Amino acid sequence: MVCEKKGKVVCIDTEILGEKGSISAYLILSEVPVIVEAPPSSSAGIVDFLEDSGIGREDVGYVFITHIHLDHSGGAGELIRELPEARLVCHPRAFKHLVNPEKLWESSKVVLGELAESYGKPLPVDENRIVVAEDRHVFSLGNDEMLAIHTPGHAPHHLSFYLIKERMLFPGDSAGVYSFEKVVPTTPPPFRLDDALKSIDKMMELKPEFIAYTHFGISSSDLLKIVKEKMVLWSDLAVDAVKIGGVEELHKLLLAEDDDYRELFNLTKNSRIISGFHMMTLLGLIDYASRRKERRE
Ligand SMILES: [Zn+2]
């Protein structure tokens, strides 16, 4: 279940839907232990892991979630019930969906189809257990600090976290998907390119030494610049694709123009989760390019 450990940070493979290497959560062994991300059906595994590590459930101070897409926070209601002292940290715009997940659940079923049912309906979170993080809020973890920054683009309510002393960034989905040591954008509708690029600049300013991707694992190379370049390239290709068609044309252009896309597309074909991201990425880019075309016409 533990996929790797770097300093105080432990990557936990949640192995959701039996898939290894698709969705992780992180445990940070600071003076005040905390968790980053609450994927669906992950709470039992996380609690077992805490017990095996000699950490009491009541010792956990925070559960930080980057955004409310089910693969990142679908298990928040369950997990917070297991951790009596923990507060759930989210973006101000995510608050109401965590307290009352009905609308989120309905839209997730539309967007994700069967995958949403496999993840399961999220439990509501008691509003007294939630702390909303304004941009650049700093949370004390005893011997370290966690900085929260607003990073819209992938989703308007997206937060990223930076563990200051360890110089480790937790970008959620705002810096792409990291798989087989490659990084590619993840841009579901309604994707906002300008916001996404500004968010990457904001993360680059932090000069992180490590990046802990929810999908998947810890990287020590600077992939922020690469994902930024790809976002621009892929958006331009989407603009070309909408002139002649849509998703299928964009897929063909990406296969021809981007080796990483082609390799990852083939390597992750059998992963329901990761191949789903690629499909959402194409849809988001086409949606973006269509809006841009409408503005110009
Ligand atoms: Zn997401």
Side-chain angles (χ1 to χ4, degrees):
M1 194 161 180
V2 171
C3 61
E4 62 185 311
K5 186 166 183 276
K6 189 143 272 176
K8 285 183 286 204
V9 181
V10 183
C11 172
I12 301 173
D13 189 344
T14 60
E15 296 182 25
I16 290 165
L17 314 181
E19 279 193 22
K20 287 191 166 79
S22 290
I23 304 180
S24 61
Y26 288 92
L27 169 65
I28 302 172
L29 302 165
S30 34
E31 212 172 309
V32 177
V34 299
I35 290 162
V36 181
E37 306 286 45
S41 328
S42 63
S43 60
I46 291 174
V47 167
D48 282 353
F49 184 77
L50 287 172
E51 280 167 6
D52 292 349
S53 315
I55 298 167
R57 294 178 191 208
E58 62 291 343
D59 297 332
V60 176
Y62 295 104
V63 175
F64 295 97
I65 54 165
T66 57
H67 63 304
I68 54 167
H69 291 162
L70 294 187
D71 49 324
H72 295 253
S73 70
E78 234 177 275
L79 185 59
I80 213 76
R81 280 167 177 74
E82 299 282 353
L83 309 171
E85 301 298 326
R87 300 292 207 91
L88 186 75
V89 178
C90 70
H91 190 284
R93 290 176 68 175
F95 175 84
K96 65 175 186 217
H97 298 290
L98 291 161
V99 174
N100 178 3
E102 290 301 327
K103 220 174 124 189
L104 170 69
W105 177 238
E106 290 309 316
S107 61
S108 302
K109 281 192 290 187
V110 173
V111 174
L112 301 175
E114 273 180 8
L115 192 56
E117 301 285 356
S118 304
Y119 285 152
K121 185 175 175 180
L123 290 178
V125 183
D126 175 354
E127 62 176 67
N128 299 311
R129 304 284 305 278
I130 303 179
V131 184
V132 297
E134 299 302 335
D135 192 26
R136 305 210 177 264
H137 189 91
V138 175
F139 294 85
S140 170
L141 313 184
N143 53 357
D144 207 337
E145 287 177 315
M146 187 74 114
L147 168 72
I149 55 169
H150 289 195
T151 51
H154 171 86
H157 61 274
H158 199 294
L159 277 182
S160 296
F161 301 102
Y162 186 57
L163 188 60
I164 296 175
K165 277 199 199 153
E166 299 273 323
R167 301 191 59 188
M168 189 173 298
L169 175 70
F170 298 85
D173 281 348
S174 57
V177 167
Y178 174 66
S179 195
F180 296 96
E181 294 183 13
K182 297 178 190 311
V183 69
V184 291
T186 170
T187 59
F191 174 59
R192 296 278 183 272
L193 177 66
D194 290 351
D195 287 348
L197 297 177
K198 275 186 217 149
S199 292
I200 293 183
D201 286 342
K202 208 165 162 181
M203 291 185 277
M204 284 167 95
E205 278 166 25
L206 298 170
K207 300 194 169 55
E209 198 169 327
F210 305 102
I211 305 179
Y213 293 91
T214 310
H215 322 291
F216 182 95
I218 302 171
S219 161
S220 50
S221 25
D222 181 7
L223 301 173
L224 292 172
K225 192 169 163 274
I226 294 174
V227 80
K228 188 181 171 189
E229 286 166 3
K230 282 193 193 294
M231 268 184 200
V232 173
L233 170 72
W234 291 23
S235 300
D236 287 346
L237 291 175
V239 169
D240 293 340
V242 291
K243 288 178 192 153
I244 49 170
V247 166
E248 192 52 39
E249 284 68 23
L250 176 57
H251 172 62
K252 283 184 194 150
L253 285 174
L254 283 166
L255 287 176
E257 300 285 335
D258 191 323
D259 296 346
D260 291 346
Y261 178 84
R262 190 175 53 249
E263 274 180 50
L264 271 188
F265 177 77
N266 288 321
L267 286 166
T268 58
K269 255 184 191 158
N270 296 324
S271 158
R272 267 177 86 191
I273 298 170
I274 306 283
S275 63
F277 296 152
H278 296 326
M279 180 42 82
M280 296 304 293
T281 290
L282 297 178
L283 289 169
L285 290 168
I286 291 297
D287 173 61
Y288 155 81
S290 308
R291 275 184 276 124
R292 199 162 109 175
K293 193 168 167 237
E294 265 168 38
R295 277 204 305 273
R296 298 219 166 139
E297 278 170 1

